[in-house]
Structure formats: C-alpha cells, structure tokens
Amino acid sequence: MNVPPDTRPVIAITMGDASGIGPEIIMKALARADVLAMCRPLVIGDAGRLREAGALVGSSLNVVVRETPAEALYAAGTAECIDLGLIPAGHPFGTLSPVSGEAAYRYIERATRLVESGAADAICTAPLSKEALHSAGHKYPGHTELLAHLTGTPEVSMMLVAPKLRVIHVTTHIGLMDAIRKIEPALVERVIARGRATLVKSGIAEPRIGVCGINPHAGENGLFGQGEEEEKIIPAVRACQAKGWKVEGPLPADTLFFRAARGDFDLVVAMYHDQGHGPVKVMGLEAGVNITIGLPVVRTSVDHGTAFDIAGKGIADEGSLVEALRQATDLAPKRR
C-alpha cells in the first residue's frame, strides 16, 4: 500500500536560553495535538534539559534523540530532538549564564544550516538572553541580527503579530537618538516593501499600510520636532503610493494603532522599537509572534523574553510559542 507523503513542514525549534522558560514551553507545546497536526516539530537543543523541563511541567513526552531530521518519526507522545549536548545536568534555571548563552548561539547556528540545506523548512525560536549571549562572546543585539549574520543578509526587518495587529519596524535594537539618525527615506521605503511583500505572500492581495510619524502628532506640520517627518518619511510614502500601493502616512502613532486594531490597516510601520512593541504587547503578549522579514529562511519567534523570574517553576505559558509555530507553518515553503 502506498503511503501518501507527509506534507507538514519540518519546523526547527531552537531551545533558546536553557536557563529560561524555553525548555518548559517547548515541552508544553509539543504535547498539544494541534501542534503535531500542523507541523513536524524538531527541537534543536539539549535532550537532557528537555527531560528536566518535562519533569517540571508534568509532561509524559518521551524525548527522542536524532542525528538528522530525516530520522525523526514525529509520533504522538514524543519530542524529537537534535541533541547538541551543551547543557550540564542540573544547570540552574533562572540564572544568567554564559554556558546558556553559548548554547543558544549554537542552536540557532545548527537550525539555520538545517533550513539552508533543505533538511528543515522553517525556524521557530524560543527566547534567548541578549546579556547571556554577549557574555559568551557573541555580540549581537538579538535573534534578528544574529540570523542576518548567519545567512549573510545585509538588512532585515522585525514584524510583530498579535491578535488584530501587525507591526513592522524601521529600526529595532538601537537607542532612540540613534534610531532617529538612522531613519531615512530609502530605508523606510524598503521596510514598507518587505512588509507588503510578506502580506501579499500570505494571501492579502492589496495590504493597507499605515506609517507612523516620529514626533507627537506626526510633527503637526512642523510644530513638533525638526522636520523629521517631511525629511525622512514623506518621500518614502509618496514613492510607495506612486507604485499604486495602499500606503498612508505619516500618521500620529497613538491614533494609528487604534485604527489598525479596529481593522482600518493590515500593517503598521513603526519607526523605532518601543513605538511598535508597546501596542503589540498590550494587545496580546501571550499570543504575540515575532517574524524576521527579509531572510532567505523563514523564522518566527515568541514575543516574550526568557522570564528568569519564573523559569524552573513549570508555570510558563506556551501560547506564544504555539502561535509562532502556526505562523512558521503558514510561511514555510509548501512540500509537494
């Protein structure tokens, strides 16, 4: 009897910082039938740490070690793992550690190579600690910049997705004054284009895009600021409109996010980190997803941190990871 091919995408789930809640939320997520129904989840991490986390959350999953993705069976009741063996037994939860920082880097590196080779279809990342990453000698502001380096991608964008809201950022992990200096029309136009292309690919034929201003009231026609909107944003908006795209702005951020949440826009373009992150996390931190736009590989992530304060207690919520896996499944190349 011919067995039909399994068309579920293989999602490489990186374990993140082993001292944080990543191992716990992974074990919780992989126990859910809806996760196994939509994808083939493969953890890139440490099998021993997953077993410790499983005991903390009361999971009965059997952690199975595989050398390659092709060996994995993805059967119910199992957690398939490419075991890098970097975390010692009994390694403390809830504590900043260069050991965990080094391991988090290695998980991402392995997952990236697996997707580039075609052995996996997308990456879904559990949270890492930037401080732990730096303490291990890897001086990247976060996952986004690290993945850009590993894939040789000169420029990427961060998109956050929450219930009723999508936000793409022009700048992310830099100070506010540095962000304002970095923003310029060509960059804004490229970010709008990347966000629009992603939504078109996901099935929204003509995305409605709202672009934030930098200053209060989007500068109020020059009343606030030093003319940043006129210099840095308006030329990009006009260039996009000239292509026939549905782009509006610059608009006051406070009213734009309200309008987007009620359905007026499919995507908001935020100028800097906190302008975009604040509204998304208010709208739904537990279900928020971080998507890196512009990479040659699909990458989604939870939209929360390592939560060292509750790590090791078995109480972390897996909802954001499940939603990140759903987004990775939707964006992954389809297997024939």
Side-chain angles (χ1 to χ4, degrees):
M1 182 177 68
N2 291 328
V3 177
D6 192 339
T7 58
R8 292 173 301 160
V10 175
I11 309 297
I13 307 171
T14 57
M15 204 173 73
D17 192 297
S19 300
I21 61 173
E24 297 167 67
I25 61 174
I26 288 172
M27 291 301 284
K28 286 186 174 182
L30 297 192
R32 293 177 48 153
D34 56 337
V35 168
L36 199 60
M38 66 185 173
C39 68
R40 288 179 281 179
L42 176 67
V43 183
I44 315 300
D46 272 73
R49 193 57 158 185
L50 290 178
R51 294 184 183 110
E52 291 176 353
L56 289 170
V57 303
S59 173
S60 61
L61 287 181
N62 178 33
V63 179
V64 181
V65 175
R66 306 294 186 186
E67 291 295 322
T68 67
E71 298 174 6
L73 300 178
Y74 306 104
T78 65
E80 304 278 4
C81 178
I82 302 290
D83 183 17
L84 272 61
L86 299 173
I87 303 300
H91 188 63
F93 282 93
T95 304
L96 186 75
S97 165
V99 173
S100 296
E102 177 65 25
Y105 176 88
R106 297 300 169 191
Y107 304 151
I108 288 289
E109 184 180 48
R110 177 67 67 85
T112 300
R113 303 308 173 220
L114 288 173
V115 175
E116 286 179 329
S117 71
D121 299 303
I123 301 170
C124 181
T125 58
L128 56 69
S129 163
K130 298 175 182 64
E131 191 174 353
L133 191 69
H134 288 194
S135 71
H138 303 291
K139 306 297 184 181
Y140 301 97
H143 270 124
T144 301
E145 296 81 3
L146 172 54
L147 282 158
H149 167 75
L150 289 172
T151 58
T153 306
E155 186 175 273
V156 296
S157 298
M158 175 188 293
M159 180 185 289
L160 302 182
V161 179
K164 300 183 180 180
L165 189 61
R166 301 181 191 89
V167 182
I168 193 167
H169 293 68
V170 174
T171 66
T172 50
H173 296 118
I174 56 177
L176 183 55
M177 296 299 294
D178 293 330
I180 294 172
R181 282 190 288 268
K182 183 176 181 180
I183 296 166
E184 49 88 20
L187 174 59
V188 174
E189 185 178 349
R190 291 195 301 272
V191 171
I192 293 170
R194 276 193 287 270
R196 183 182 184 278
T198 298
L199 296 193
V200 170
K201 182 180 177 182
S202 72
I204 302 174
E206 292 293 338
R208 300 161 300 161
I209 301 171
V211 181
C212 291
I214 296 173
N215 295 295
H217 300 192
E220 194 77 67
N221 295 316
L223 182 62
F224 303 122
Q226 305 296 319
E228 289 86 358
E229 280 75 20
E230 290 79 5
E231 175 191 349
K232 297 171 177 287
I233 302 174
I234 289 176
V237 171
R238 287 176 176 167
C240 293
Q241 291 171 339
K243 299 174 186 177
W245 298 353
K246 295 182 178 179
V247 179
E248 186 178 343
L251 299 170
D254 51 359
T255 55
L256 172 51
F257 280 105
F258 169 77
R259 291 180 60 193
R262 76 180 183 187
D264 291 358
F265 296 98
D266 301 301
L267 179 66
V268 172
V269 179
M271 291 296 124
Y272 52 89
H273 184 281
D274 284 13
Q275 187 182 59
H277 276 62
V280 169
K281 294 191 175 183
V282 168
M283 291 294 292
L285 178 61
E286 296 83 2
V289 176
N290 182 335
I291 304 173
T292 306
I293 306 299
L295 292 171
V297 299
V298 171
R299 178 260 175 166
T300 68
S301 179
V302 296
D303 186 31
H304 59 70
T306 52
F308 284 151
D309 57 325
I310 62 169
K313 298 180 180 179
I315 60 175
D317 187 279
E318 78 278 14
S320 182
L321 179 59
V322 172
E323 188 56 33
L325 287 166
R326 194 180 317 280
Q327 294 283 348
T329 299
D330 290 344
L331 293 171
K334 301 300 182 279
R335 290 179 178 250
R336 302 293 181 186

